[in-house]
Amino acid sequence: MTRSIIKAAEWTLGPETGEGAPQAIYSAGCMECGEESLASDNDRAPVEIWALKHTGRNPSHRQYNAMIETYWRVTPAEGNPYRESDAHGAQPHPQHQANGSKGSAHDR
C-alpha cells in the first residue's frame, strides 16, 4: 500500500449526532464523602435532584463536582479529499491516504 501525507486539509469539529449518541451525560459527586450520582443521558434534573436529596440526608455535604460529558465528531470540510470518500463510504485515493493518522504532526 502506498502512503502519502495530506499537506493541508480542512476539518470541522461539531457534536456527535449519530444514532444513539447522547447530547450529554450528566453526573455529580459529593466532595465531602465521594458518593456519586447515577449518570443521566440528556437530562440533568435527576442528578440535581440526587444532589439536593443527598444534602437533605447529609446537611454538611454542600459541594458537588458536576460532570458533563459530551461527544464530538471531526468531519472533512469542503475541499478535503476525505469528504468525497466519506460520502461514498470508501477510503480516499491512496495518493491522499494519511500517514497512519488523520491528525497533523501537532497532534502527536
Side-chain angles (χ1 to χ4, degrees):
M1 175 165 74
T2 304
R3 292 185 180 206
S4 61
I5 297 173
I6 298 172
K7 295 193 186 245
E10 300 268 335
W11 297 88
T12 60
L13 177 66
E16 171 59 79
T17 58
E19 185 177 335
Q23 292 177 334
I25 299 174
Y26 299 93
S27 62
C30 175
M31 295 181 68
E32 182 70 26
C33 70
E35 188 175 334
E36 294 183 355
S37 72
L38 294 175
S40 174
D41 287 3
N42 300 324
D43 185 5
R44 65 189 236 179
V47 178
E48 293 174 348
I49 292 167
W50 173 85
L52 292 167
K53 286 181 176 181
H54 184 77
T55 296
R57 290 187 306 275
N58 307 280
S60 64
H61 298 201
R62 298 180 185 189
Q63 291 183 303
Y64 295 87
N65 177 17
M67 295 162 277
I68 303 169
E69 186 174 314
T70 60
Y71 298 89
W72 297 343
R73 176 176 290 276
V74 176
T75 55
E78 190 72 38
N80 183 317
Y82 283 95
R83 184 178 178 108
E84 185 176 322
S85 65
D86 280 4
H88 296 93
Q91 293 297 315
H93 188 277
Q95 75 181 29
H96 298 295
Q97 194 82 13
N99 191 15
S101 170
K102 293 182 183 176
S104 69
H106 300 292
D107 296 334
R108 292 181 223 130

